[in-house]
Amino acid sequence: MFSKDCERRAEPRGVRLRSCRTERWGLIRAPVSVLAVICLALLALAPAAQVQAAPIEVTSHSNVTTAYFDNVRLEEIESMPEHTSAPQPAPPANPSPGRNAGVELLQEATPTEGQVGFRPRDGAVVTTNPPSFVWLPVPGATTYILEYSPDPSFPEGQTTRVTGIDLPLYTPAATLSSQTAWYWRYRAVLSGSGTLSPYSPVRSFQIAPDAAAFPLPSLDELHRRIPQSHPRLFVRPETLEELRRLASDPRAARIYEELLTDAEFELQLRKDAPLPPEPGDPMASGTFDAQVWRDGMLMARSTTETMQNLAFLYLISGRRDIGELAKRWLLHFASWDPHGTSSAAKNDEVSMALLYRMSRAYTWLYDLLTPEERTKVREVMRERGQEAYRILRSLPFEVNPHNSHGGRTLGFLGEAAIAFFDEIPEAREWFDYVVRVFYALYPAWGGDDGGWAEGASYWKYYMQFVSEFVDALAVATGTDLMAKPFFRNTGYFKLYVHSPGTGNPFGDGNGEPVAALDTEVMGWLARANQNPYFQWYVENSPGSPLPRSIFGFLRAARSPAPQAKPPVDLPQARLFRDVGWVAMHSNLASPEDDIRLVFKSSPYGSYSHSHADQNAFVLDAFGRPLVISSGYYPWYMSPHHANWTQQSISQNTILVDGRGQIPRSLAAKGEITRFFTTAAYDYTVGDASAAYTSPLLQFNRHILFVRPHFFVIFDELSASRRVRYDFLLHSPLVVNTLDEAAQKVSIFNWPARLDVCFLASQLLDLAADDRFVPAPELPNLPNQWHLRARSPQTEDFQFLTVLLPQRIDGQPTSAITEVLEVQRWTDPDVAGAKVRYKTGDGEIWTQYVAFRPAGAGSSDSPNGPKSPAALFAFGSDASGRKGQLLTVDGLILRLPGDTASTSGTDHPIWLSRPATISARWSAEDGDGGGTLLELDVVEQAKSPDALQIRLALSVQPALVVVNGKALSEKSWRYTGGVLELVVDAGARADENR
């Protein structure tokens, strides 16, 4: 139930609360006299506080502080070791012994789960120029000194030395050369004596040739760019008249008129009506009241948005009646106690809404406010800003950024810092902190590939929030955060994993369809990046990219949408290595004909809004969900959410003796160990072994997409004792056919059908039901069905499962329309399948797929972890004029009953050394009607010699293409039904090509 990343502190008396970092955390200190009260509150609050990520405030005694937490437990002080908030020294980290030999080194702490650690990592190739340097705090440090140089000895004249750094991170103000290796180290200036610590170990990095230029201008320079007068957010004094003129521009006029209509309604509604009181206290009864918390959140969001819109309309229109109503709202909110029920200590959803929207209203209404009114607003906003800043620094966020609400608060505080810069004394400190952390660490939930570990549902909310800060910072300072690779690529994450017509595959909000907010965010990304594929997504999704809001107006007026382009020329599969997600599509550009499988094995574990779903997958076909992540999200950590939706039992993964993966833990990691996509096959392997506790030793899941038709899943499992393994499958539809004798299950969701065929070497016990334990707290939710395929009791086991999506409505399609035969390959050395089927264009295909398990790995145990299996696949249509072939790691097998000969062998392919080769040929696609052969060399063993390939083909090719390049006829020859060609040493296809 608890994260292992916990903070423990000693107190002179009483008890200590161990607070675990989920979304927010903090420290409660209390004397023994109030222990009973705290215990009762925690016992009553435990599910609810975790549900809503709500903080608690205890103020009975002067030595009690405020706590921000989701998961807690109490322990007696005597049972706990002393521990300070600073990292404790660990044995010296020495990533490069040769560079550090004979030198006294700083004893660096070992990063715990959730901590950023050290960046750039030793030997890294960075994709931003310059990189941000990040390290762990040194106990007792007041400031730091950073050095970076192209010479590992750091000579004078070739070394940049930066002093006076107050945070354990730094981003240079100028780009670095990408033509050389770089080295970096740091040391601490210690408090009290001002002495210097030893240097850290030296770490090296290189800058990718295509790295994005992303220097951080000096803070002094950014300070000078912020307007000294108002407005400051989203519009500057010198651009105000231009923005006013755009109110009549056809691109923005419709939204502007709609906002004015809303304002007229508010003027009538609020003419004499009282404004709402402060929100209720969710803890007024002594236990957490989720409804009071939710009511406060919804009230704050809607009313602050009304205030914000009215203030903006006053700014653009100059209408005093609108401005006076906006001012009435602003001063009303300023009258609320910033330490009361609208504080983060009571309801941070309320406090966050007030923080950034009051900042906007203040700067837009500035000339309408009297000096006394400005002072009143500044005083309350100083308290709200300081509360948000204290929360971030208490984590501290710059060390532990995996804090969902903290990542949102960062941008809100940044807007407040701009609005009140040099008007609130602390605003400059807020600004400097936010900008530096954004450059170095944002986002904590993804990386350069653009993934978002919390899932596609939370992606849209957090992208909406951050889009506003990105725009605000750009207008105020000219700083373009969109230059970060994450912002350039994150639209691809949405495009692939939550494509039009599908549901969110993983994480809280699983199953949610593409909604208007997704379209709005993708519209922002399309305009900001001028990306035609993102615009295609927008035009194939519900809602408008320009919402009826001030941001719809601003974006319509300032940024034209690019011309949409269907993603027909993009790879049909993509790996988001930063978050460990793989998406495979049969036809990404045609949602109604597409088959989508999304697979996850993530380094972010089951933390925050993620679930215990390593090595899980979902499957849609022809716009219909067939295999889903099950469960609902009534509220965060409700009994159903905590004990079903977040657990492995709700996912399409594996249970071991009925037990799943560790929930709510960053340590419960998975890893994508292999991925490639070619014209004929997509292939990936995930390792989820670390996500389980004993006795599981190994869980490698292989997924092969025989494109564009069906999937084969091969699971390699090993345990330290005899166990039963459960292969889980969940569907929104009743399991129409469950044939235990045939080891087959069928699911129908018109116009789609899915046949699931189990081909394990031993019979599996199949069962299905539609029960949730516990049931969702919300009424009238649709049933879902849960299939379990259970192995016999054993130490090692292999599941071989074939998933055959079919289109059954008679529409023209290249997909499967009828399955003719599925049977296990009888070779005793492999786990394989033979599949025959008919497609909608009348072709009949026969496909063979086989995995050969590898031998024992490095474990001392005879049943310890094994390296992943090798793979071979071959298929052709009935005429033999179309076909495809794959060998992974050079595995070559003779097909059952095969009489083809390749240079005297009975195999369809021969290689001069191990390699991974994918090939596809078609008699209809070559020049002049001849056969086209497309061959991808995905990997090959290192060798100075060229790779020789011989491939059995029944028809002479007219054109041979290798890794996307056509070969001259002199580079290959075809004799006796055998194609021979030579590939240069080291040639390989890009994994995402």
Side-chain angles (χ1 to χ4, degrees):
M1 177 176 179
F2 298 100
S3 163
K4 64 185 286 187
D5 187 12
C6 301
E7 184 72 25
R8 299 181 295 181
R9 299 184 182 178
E11 297 300 331
R13 54 198 176 120
V15 298
R16 184 187 303 107
L17 176 147
R18 171 178 289 185
S19 61
C20 301
R21 300 183 183 107
T22 55
E23 290 202 30
R24 293 184 305 279
W25 62 269
L27 175 68
I28 288 181
R29 296 179 290 182
V32 177
S33 59
V34 295
L35 173 58
V37 175
I38 296 176
C39 289
L40 287 173
L42 291 175
L43 289 173
L45 176 65
Q50 297 158 10
V51 165
Q52 302 297 347
I56 296 175
E57 184 178 36
V58 181
T59 56
S60 300
H61 293 76
S62 60
N63 66 335
V64 175
T65 65
T66 301
Y68 306 92
F69 65 91
D70 282 325
N71 295 326
V72 299
R73 70 169 174 263
L74 292 172
E75 298 183 15
E76 293 182 5
I77 290 176
E78 289 74 16
S79 68
M80 297 174 63
E82 294 299 321
H83 185 76
T84 65
S85 59
Q88 294 302 296
N94 193 347
S96 303
R99 291 196 296 267
N100 299 294
V103 178
E104 180 189 3
L105 296 176
L106 176 69
Q107 292 188 343
E108 294 181 322
T110 300
T112 61
E113 292 296 337
Q115 291 186 333
V116 176
F118 304 93
R119 297 180 184 175
R121 295 179 177 88
D122 192 41
V125 178
V126 299
T127 56
T128 58
N129 186 2
S132 292
F133 299 95
V134 183
W135 56 93
L136 287 179
V138 175
T142 55
T143 60
Y144 299 93
I145 299 171
L146 171 71
E147 296 180 353
Y148 51 95
S149 173
D151 188 323
S153 65
F154 297 91
E156 292 293 335
Q158 297 186 51
T159 299
T160 299
R161 182 173 293 106
V162 187
T163 62
I165 304 172
D166 62 329
L167 296 176
L169 54 83
Y170 180 79
T171 304
T175 57
L176 308 178
S177 171
S178 60
Q179 304 301 312
T180 182
W182 287 87
Y183 304 87
W184 71 281
R185 64 184 181 180
Y186 66 93
R187 66 196 311 184
V189 179
L190 302 176
S191 59
S193 62
T195 57
L196 299 178
S197 74
Y199 279 109
S200 71
V202 175
R203 293 174 169 86
S204 70
F205 65 92
Q206 290 185 305
I207 298 172
D210 59 349
F214 198 59
L216 173 59
S218 72
L219 295 174
D220 287 343
E221 172 61 26
L222 294 181
H223 297 165
R224 287 191 292 270
R225 296 178 186 178
I226 297 173
Q228 294 184 353
S229 58
H230 293 268
R232 295 177 176 176
L233 291 173
F234 308 101
V235 57
R236 302 171 62 93
E238 65 269 25
T239 63
L240 179 55
E241 286 306 316
E242 177 190 359
L243 193 62
R244 286 171 172 165
R245 287 193 297 271
L246 287 171
S248 58
D249 188 297
R251 294 174 297 174
R254 179 185 59 82
I255 297 173
Y256 179 70
E257 292 300 325
E258 289 175 344
L259 289 171
L260 278 178
T261 299
D262 292 343
E264 296 288 356
F265 176 78
E266 285 295 325
L267 286 169
Q268 295 299 316
L269 179 67
R270 299 294 178 185
K271 186 175 182 181
D272 300 311
L275 299 182
E278 295 187 51
D281 183 355
M283 285 295 297
S285 65
T287 59
F288 181 76
D289 190 324
Q291 191 58 50
V292 172
W293 181 91
R294 187 179 295 108
D295 288 346
M297 175 187 70
L298 296 176
M299 181 274 290
R301 287 181 176 179
S302 63
T303 55
T304 57
E305 184 175 22
T306 296
M307 171 193 65
Q308 156 193 283
N309 291 350
L310 292 169
F312 184 77
L313 285 169
Y314 164 73
L315 182 71
I316 302 301
S317 69
R319 282 183 51 177
R320 192 174 183 90
D321 56 343
I322 294 177
E324 289 294 343
L325 180 55
K327 184 170 81 167
R328 183 184 176 207
W329 275 111
L330 177 61
L331 296 177
H332 177 68
F333 291 136
S335 71
W336 290 4
D337 181 3
H339 304 292
T341 57
S342 63
S343 68
K346 294 294 185 181
N347 190 332
D348 75 335
E349 291 289 0
V350 173
S351 68
M352 286 189 289
L354 292 167
L355 177 63
Y356 71 100
R357 284 183 170 152
M358 287 180 69
S359 300
R360 296 171 183 176
Y362 172 83
T363 192
W364 295 336
L365 296 171
Y366 188 85
D367 66 353
L368 200 59
L369 298 171
T370 67
E372 293 76 18
E373 289 167 341
R374 293 171 191 162
T375 299
K376 180 179 180 181
V377 174
R378 286 196 291 262
E379 286 174 349
V380 73
M381 293 304 291
R382 180 182 186 183
E383 296 301 313
R384 294 197 182 279
Q386 279 295 89
E387 181 186 41
Y389 184 58
R390 283 194 300 267
I391 291 172
L392 291 170
R393 296 308 307 273
S394 69
L395 293 169
F397 189 86
E398 66 271 18
V399 179
N400 304 283
H402 298 103
N403 179 288
S404 193
H405 284 207
R408 205 194 316 169
T409 300
L410 197 68
F412 300 158
L413 183 62
E415 285 197 41
I418 294 170
F420 296 99
F421 193 81
D422 280 350
E423 296 181 21
I424 291 176
E426 294 83 2
R428 184 177 291 236
E429 183 178 358
W430 304 343
F431 178 86
D432 293 353
Y433 179 79
V434 168
V435 170
R436 287 182 291 168
V437 171
F438 245 99
Y439 258 77
L441 300 177
Y442 193 90
W445 301 108
D448 289 353
D449 295 333
W452 192 264
E454 294 181 299
S457 180
Y458 270 75
W459 175 92
K460 67 172 174 276
Y461 298 121
Y462 278 76
M463 285 302 100
Q464 180 198 32
F465 293 134
V466 78
S467 71
E468 297 171 5
F469 175 67
V470 168
D471 290 349
L473 186 66
V475 171
T477 69
T479 303
D480 185 16
L481 292 174
M482 294 301 296
K484 253 195 174 185
F486 169 81
F487 287 110
R488 291 207 310 260
N489 292 327
T490 192
Y492 290 109
F493 178 71
K494 194 69 170 181
L495 174 65
Y496 278 88
V497 308
H498 198 190
S499 50
T502 67
N504 168 35
F506 302 116
D508 285 342
N510 54 279
E512 287 183 0
V514 176
L517 184 55
D518 296 302
T519 306
E520 177 185 335
V521 172
M522 285 295 277
W524 172 67
L525 290 169
R527 289 167 182 265
N529 291 299
Q530 287 296 293
N531 188 302
Y533 304 113
F534 300 172
Q535 185 64 23
W536 173 87
Y537 187 103
V538 166
E539 295 180 7
N540 285 271
S541 299
S544 169
L546 297 173
R548 183 174 170 170
S549 72
I550 62 173
F551 295 102
F553 170 80
L554 288 168
R555 289 164 190 171
R558 287 176 169 166
S559 211
Q563 184 70 35
K565 183 179 181 181
V568 292
D569 56 345
L570 290 181
Q572 295 299 289
R574 194 173 181 114
L575 165 65
F576 297 91
R577 191 176 297 279
D578 53 355
V579 295
W581 291 37
V582 170
M584 301 175 179
H585 290 263
S586 66
N587 193 349
L588 180 60
S590 182
E592 67 279 4
D593 294 326
D594 190 29
I595 299 170
R596 175 199 72 153
L597 183 142
V598 185
F599 176 64
K600 177 182 176 184
S601 201
S602 173
Y604 286 86
S606 54
Y607 197 62
S608 187
H609 293 288
S610 296
H611 301 162
D613 53 9
Q614 307 294 5
N615 277 10
F617 68 95
V618 300
L619 174 65
D620 300 76
F622 321 119
R624 297 292 186 269
L626 294 167
V627 178
I628 63 169
S629 298
S630 78
Y632 294 98
Y633 186 25
W635 60 81
Y636 191 81
M637 289 293 289
S638 76
H640 171 76
H641 179 250
N643 298 303
W644 180 274
T645 308
Q646 286 193 334
Q647 302 289 333
S648 299
I649 195 171
S650 71
Q651 307 297 320
N652 305 300
T653 187
I654 299 291
L655 302 184
V656 181
D657 273 346
R659 297 170 59 192
Q661 301 162 16
I662 305 165
R664 297 179 287 278
S665 170
L666 269 168
K669 298 179 184 298
E671 180 184 5
I672 300 294
T673 59
R674 197 161 199 171
F675 169 80
F676 61 79
T677 178
T678 69
Y681 301 94
D682 297 335
Y683 178 58
T684 190
V685 183
D687 181 357
S689 309
Y692 295 79
T693 57
S694 178
L696 187 77
L697 299 173
Q698 179 194 38
F699 176 17
N700 286 320
R701 170 162 279 183
H702 306 245
I703 298 184
L704 175 70
F705 186 15
V706 182
R707 67 170 43 258
H709 294 140
F710 68 97
F711 301 87
V712 182
I713 300 178
F714 181 57
D715 294 316
E716 298 178 284
L717 294 148
S718 180
S720 59
R721 59 174 172 80
R722 291 168 62 84
V723 297
R724 295 187 188 276
Y725 299 102
D726 288 345
F727 180 108
L728 301 181
L729 209 63
H730 303 271
S731 176
L733 282 302
V734 63
V735 177
N736 298 79
T737 303
L738 193 159
D739 189 336
E740 192 161 13
Q743 297 281 276
K744 176 182 173 182
V745 170
S746 297
I747 300 167
F748 293 83
N749 194 357
W750 187 268
R753 165 180 173 156
L754 178 68
D755 286 351
V756 182
C757 302
F758 297 99
L759 302 178
S761 59
Q762 302 177 63
L763 285 179
L764 305 175
D765 175 23
L766 304 184
D769 62 60
D770 63 348
R771 296 189 301 272
F772 288 115
V773 181
E777 290 79 9
L778 300 178
N780 303 319
L781 293 173
N783 265 8
Q784 296 173 349
W785 274 260
H786 322 293
L787 170 74
R788 182 210 71 211
R790 176 168 292 173
S791 76
Q793 195 170 51
T794 180
E795 292 177 347
D796 298 347
F797 195 76
Q798 298 161 4
F799 287 98
L800 181 67
T801 311
V802 181
L803 307 178
L804 293 146
Q806 300 148 64
R807 185 156 194 144
I808 56 177
D809 62 353
Q811 294 295 315
T813 179
S814 60
I816 297 174
T817 55
E818 183 181 0
V819 177
L820 303 175
E821 176 188 6
V822 180
Q823 66 180 41
R824 184 177 174 87
W825 192 334
T826 56
D827 189 318
D829 295 329
V830 302
K834 175 186 177 183
V835 183
R836 288 183 66 242
Y837 53 88
K838 185 176 182 180
T839 65
D841 49 18
E843 296 178 347
I844 295 177
W845 281 76
T846 302
Q847 300 273 8
Y848 297 91
V849 176
F851 294 87
R852 174 174 285 167
S858 59
S859 171
D860 293 333
S861 170
N863 57 352
K866 315 242 184 340
S867 57
L871 167 62
F872 176 79
F874 178 89
S876 67
D877 70 347
S879 70
R881 296 173 65 82
K882 290 184 178 182
Q884 57 195 77
L885 179 144
L886 173 69
T887 170
V888 174
D889 297 338
L891 178 62
I892 298 172
L893 299 174
R894 185 172 71 177
L895 302 175
D898 182 36
T899 58
S901 175
T902 303
S903 288
T905 74
D906 292 329
H907 306 301
I909 190 171
W910 175 88
L911 304 174
S912 60
R913 64 172 179 273
T916 294
I917 304 291
S918 170
R920 181 180 72 169
W921 54 94
S922 173
E924 282 78 17
D925 295 334
D927 291 344
T931 297
L932 166 68
L933 171 70
E934 298 173 272
L935 187 143
D936 287 295
V937 180
V938 180
E939 299 168 339
Q940 57 172 309
K942 291 183 179 180
S943 172
D945 301 324
L947 174 66
Q948 302 174 48
I949 302 172
R950 297 172 189 162
L951 179 65
L953 286 177
S954 59
V955 181
Q956 178 171 342
L959 182 64
V960 177
V961 176
V962 176
N963 292 349
K965 296 181 180 179
L967 300 184
S968 69
E969 293 188 9
K970 296 180 179 179
S971 302
W972 56 271
R973 67 179 181 175
Y974 180 82
T975 56
V978 176
L979 173 71
E980 297 185 61
L981 68 156
V982 176
V983 177
D984 292 340
R988 59 177 294 166
D990 180 77
E991 67 177 16
N992 264 321
R993 197 176 65 80

